[in-house]
Amino acid sequence: MLVHADPYMQLLLWTNGVGIIGIVALQVLCALAVIRFFWKDDRGHHFARVKAAPALAAVGLTVGLYLMLTNFELLTGRTGWINGALLSPVVLLGLGGAAYALRLRARRPDLYAELASTDATENTKESS
């Protein structure tokens, strides 16, 4: 063993814990994005589908995320600064990505607009 670390108890739980926190945080942001997207125009969808359900999902996921963060030491088996060190890249990279997106939107709006667009027919092969 390189550092006398148990592959399951340290490495796997540490990386899985951080990954789970990141995924749940992204799910909260996605639920909020659905609400924001349909805020003024529901595009013919029912209120429960485009506002109520995503709002309930955001609340439930936020409560779950809070519980995960406040009990993170149960997953890692560590206390103190190590948990902060494990979670800090998630926060720092998220903030860095948001800052980059805002910068891109201000300086290169054409490139920013292409981020969410795709041409599904561009890469398809024609059938003979």
Side-chain angles (χ1 to χ4, degrees):
M1 288 184 163
L2 187 61
V3 291
H4 301 289
D6 183 337
Y8 178 74
M9 291 303 293
Q10 276 84 35
L11 303 177
L12 181 71
L13 290 180
W14 292 359
T15 56
N16 283 352
V18 172
I20 291 167
I21 296 293
I23 289 170
V24 173
L26 287 175
Q27 288 176 333
V28 171
L29 291 175
C30 286
L32 295 174
V34 168
I35 296 168
R36 172 69 175 101
F37 182 80
F38 289 109
W39 189 254
K40 291 188 180 186
D41 181 12
D42 60 11
R43 298 180 183 223
H45 297 288
H46 192 268
F47 170 83
R49 183 176 189 164
V50 296
K51 292 186 182 124
L56 287 172
V59 169
L61 287 165
T62 301
V63 169
L65 184 62
Y66 171 78
L67 291 172
M68 285 185 261
L69 289 171
T70 56
N71 296 298
F72 194 63
E73 69 275 357
L74 295 176
L75 184 59
T76 62
R78 300 287 183 149
T79 58
W81 66 271
I82 190 73
N83 290 331
L86 288 170
L87 291 172
S88 62
V90 174
V91 175
L92 294 174
L93 290 171
L95 292 174
Y100 178 71
L102 291 172
R103 182 173 174 247
L104 194 63
R105 184 172 68 177
R107 295 187 180 176
R108 300 275 316 269
D110 56 327
L111 185 60
Y112 181 81
E114 288 182 29
L115 289 177
S117 65
T118 183
D119 184 3
T121 61
E122 182 177 311
N123 295 324
T124 59
K125 294 181 181 179
E126 292 183 20
S127 302
S128 311

